[in-house]
Amino acid sequence: MTVQPDPAPLSAIDLTDASVWEAAAPHGWLDRLRRESPVHWHEESDGPGFWALTRHADVRQVSTSPGEFSSYVGGPIRLDPPEGGLDQVRMIIIGMDPPEHQMFRSIVSRAFTPKMIGQLESALRSETKRVVGSLRGRNTCEFVSEIASPIPMWSISELMGVPQADRHRLYELSHALIDDQDPEVSPSPEASTEALSEIFAYATAMAERERARPTDSLTSRLLTAEVDGRRLSDLEYTLFFMFLIVAGNETTRTASSQGLIALLEHPDELRRLRDEPNLIPTAVDEILRWEPPIHHFRRTATVDTRIGGQQVAAGDKVLMWYAGSNRDPAVFEDPHRFRVDRSPNPHQSFGIGEHFCLGANLARLSLRLLLEELVAAVTDIEIAAPPRRLHSNLINGVKELQIGFRPR
Ligand code: HEM
């Protein structure tokens, strides 16, 4: 492919613009940055600026060097939290550094091992069958709300011990909290603050129930676990609870919806998957590489150091743009080609190193089961109306995906 020179200066690139990501990941920009300025100083209108990373090796270096690139100093996302918020972010594992981070991570990590997640498989398969079964006798549906959303909420609720009756409300709250850049989801700053208070109140009520009658749920474990010889404070517990609900929901829903869009936009690959369902596991990782559910995470440099030869200063923000690193031609052959049999596929959509996603096994299982059940149940799937994507530079969400299909 010949690359036409882009006459616009690199400074015209604005990766913070949520409308850009809402339309589609700006691969033209990301490729250009990787070629011309892989560790790129990016101005921002609402902050001091940041280094934008688009190379696989640089994202790896930064993610695997928590001593030099901290999640604690400025939190894991682009904008500094509002006044007082940073203290709370630092109480959530995603905003911690070693050695504290490891202590908190080990409270829940056992629940997410391949063995533990494997034990969930048959129940998750039944739930997936039930949800996909709702398509029987129909030939249209809104995929995000009817199929992609209920399954992850079911899984995280089972793990946390959230009763059936409360799941839908908790799902709505997690949505309002994390997707707060989109005015349709979270119409005002108050809406996300109210969602936060309601989740806090819910976590507190749940703690009372679990204390009165302990179960083997993750929630009980959060309440009884010790770090450094002490129990979690109420606030630490509440934030952990909230984070698990949000992390378990938003990303997997996004991966399912984006995954279906990717397959429908590549009908030969979808056909191949239907004819060779043994390719579903590699297809799952290709979907994650193709449309990372999270656009970026952040670190803050703690010392003057270098990233891929570029000098960066202590205190600088560093943003890892996974849609860029996942299409780095130094690592992925023909990176702009979506192929369900891609292997190996060392994409970085689950992060890497210290904070590598704890839910990766669960998310992969969820996506595999969904694709298996969907491909078995329906055929001739087509996009019935242009998908409506989330207005966000953080979450690669889909708000609405109307599809048509025929029973298989
Ligand atoms: C396709 C689905 C998912 C994607 C793409 C995803 C992505 C990520 C990424 C990129 C990180 C790394 C953050 C960083 O480096 O700062 C992360 C961390 C994390 N994820 Fe996921 N995630 C997914 C599903 C889940 C699920 C289902 C759960 C839980 C049920 C979960 C729980 C977590 C937790 C607890 C962390 C923090 C780990 C730590 O800080 O040590 N994730 N996730």
Side-chain angles (χ1 to χ4, degrees):
M1 186 174 87
T2 16
V3 177
Q4 297 298 329
D6 183 342
L10 285 177
S11 58
I13 291 177
D14 184 2
L15 295 175
T16 70
D17 185 346
S19 341
V20 168
W21 293 94
E22 181 180 355
H27 286 293
W29 281 354
L30 296 166
D31 285 351
R32 188 172 169 212
L33 287 177
R34 197 186 314 100
R35 269 193 322 268
E36 296 177 26
S37 178
V39 182
H40 176 69
W41 182 252
H42 188 304
E43 301 290 343
E44 54 186 350
S45 58
D46 44 5
F50 56 84
W51 295 103
L53 308 189
T54 42
R55 275 196 308 215
H56 195 275
D58 298 334
V59 169
R60 165 178 280 277
Q61 183 203 331
V62 166
S63 293
T64 54
S65 317
E68 283 177 55
F69 299 100
S70 165
S71 298
Y72 176 89
V73 170
I77 59 173
R78 181 177 72 87
L79 287 180
D80 293 342
E83 186 70 15
L86 189 55
D87 293 341
Q88 294 200 358
V89 172
R90 289 170 168 172
M91 287 185 201
I92 308 177
I93 53 172
I94 201 171
M96 292 178 184
D97 288 341
E100 195 188 21
H101 169 255
Q102 264 311 323
M103 293 191 274
F104 276 76
R105 188 170 161 112
S106 67
I107 299 175
V108 291
S109 56
R110 246 183 317 134
F112 292 100
T113 58
K115 188 167 161 230
M116 295 302 281
I117 295 304
Q119 287 175 6
L120 199 67
E121 176 164 350
S122 78
L124 182 54
R125 162 94 61 196
S126 308
E127 177 62 12
T128 309
K129 267 190 199 301
R130 191 190 66 75
V131 171
V132 173
S134 69
L135 301 180
R136 213 167 294 131
R138 302 166 56 187
N139 46 28
T140 59
C141 87
E142 197 289 284
F143 186 78
V144 180
S145 59
E146 295 188 51
I147 310 288
S149 306
I151 298 172
M153 191 59 209
W154 180 89
S155 306
I156 194 66
S157 300
E158 289 291 308
L159 289 172
M160 306 288 292
V162 173
Q164 187 71 41
D166 304 337
R167 294 179 182 180
H168 187 67
R169 180 63 190 148
L170 217 45
Y171 163 76
E172 287 177 338
L173 294 173
S174 93
H175 199 31
L177 194 66
I178 187 78
D179 299 335
D180 63 347
Q181 291 178 26
D182 191 315
E184 203 177 85
V185 179
S186 199
S188 63
E190 295 79 55
S192 77
T193 317
E194 281 161 22
L196 188 65
S197 324
E198 200 177 324
I199 295 190
F200 272 31
Y202 187 82
T204 307
M206 189 127 173
E208 280 162 18
R209 280 203 306 272
E210 295 273 337
R211 280 198 183 106
R213 207 174 302 173
T215 64
D216 60 359
S217 72
L218 261 184
T219 308
S220 260
R221 195 167 316 157
L222 295 179
L223 292 164
T224 51
E226 294 199 349
V227 282
D228 246 356
R230 64 167 183 89
R231 293 264 166 100
L232 300 193
S233 70
D234 287 350
L235 186 56
E236 284 167 335
Y237 151 77
T238 306
L239 290 166
F240 213 146
F241 178 92
M242 178 209 67
F243 178 68
L244 287 171
I245 297 284
V246 172
N249 258 309
E250 298 299 310
T251 46
T252 318
R253 178 187 73 229
T254 292
S256 313
S257 314
Q258 290 286 11
L260 183 61
I261 297 175
L263 288 166
L264 295 175
E265 285 175 348
H266 299 86
D268 292 349
E269 297 297 300
L270 178 56
R271 212 167 301 123
R272 196 157 170 214
L273 214 52
R274 214 187 44 213
D275 297 343
E276 298 172 65
N278 60 320
L279 289 177
I280 288 179
T282 48
V284 162
D285 277 293
E286 181 65 344
I287 284 169
L288 290 164
R289 181 187 78 89
W290 192 250
E291 288 289 352
I294 298 172
H295 293 311
H296 72 268
F297 269 131
R298 161 193 175 169
R299 300 291 187 264
T300 306
T302 55
V303 287
D304 292 347
T305 180
R306 300 182 90 76
I307 305 173
Q310 170 67 50
Q311 186 70 44
V312 307
D316 284 353
K317 270 202 268 195
V318 181
L319 263 56
M320 303 173 281
W321 294 95
Y322 301 122
S325 68
N326 280 352
R327 298 204 190 185
D328 183 342
V331 175
F332 299 98
E333 196 189 316
D334 213 353
H336 290 297
R337 189 163 155 223
F338 177 80
R339 42 181 306 181
V340 292
D341 63 349
R342 187 180 287 278
S343 177
N345 191 342
H347 65 77
Q348 296 176 321
S349 298
F350 287 125
I352 185 166
E354 187 73 20
H355 289 273
F356 178 75
C357 176
L358 267 175
N361 296 318
L362 175 58
R364 283 198 171 104
L365 174 66
S366 233
L367 295 169
R368 172 167 71 75
L369 296 181
L370 176 58
L371 285 181
E372 285 173 4
E373 293 304 324
L374 199 63
V375 166
V378 296
T379 185
D380 294 339
I381 314 176
E382 55 184 25
I383 297 183
R388 295 182 53 244
R389 296 164 52 106
L390 190 71
H391 181 80
S392 172
N393 57 34
L394 179 64
I395 307 282
N396 191 10
V398 181
K399 290 193 285 193
E400 196 180 325
L401 173 58
Q402 301 286 350
I403 57 167
F405 51 85
R406 278 191 315 116
R408 189 155 178 205

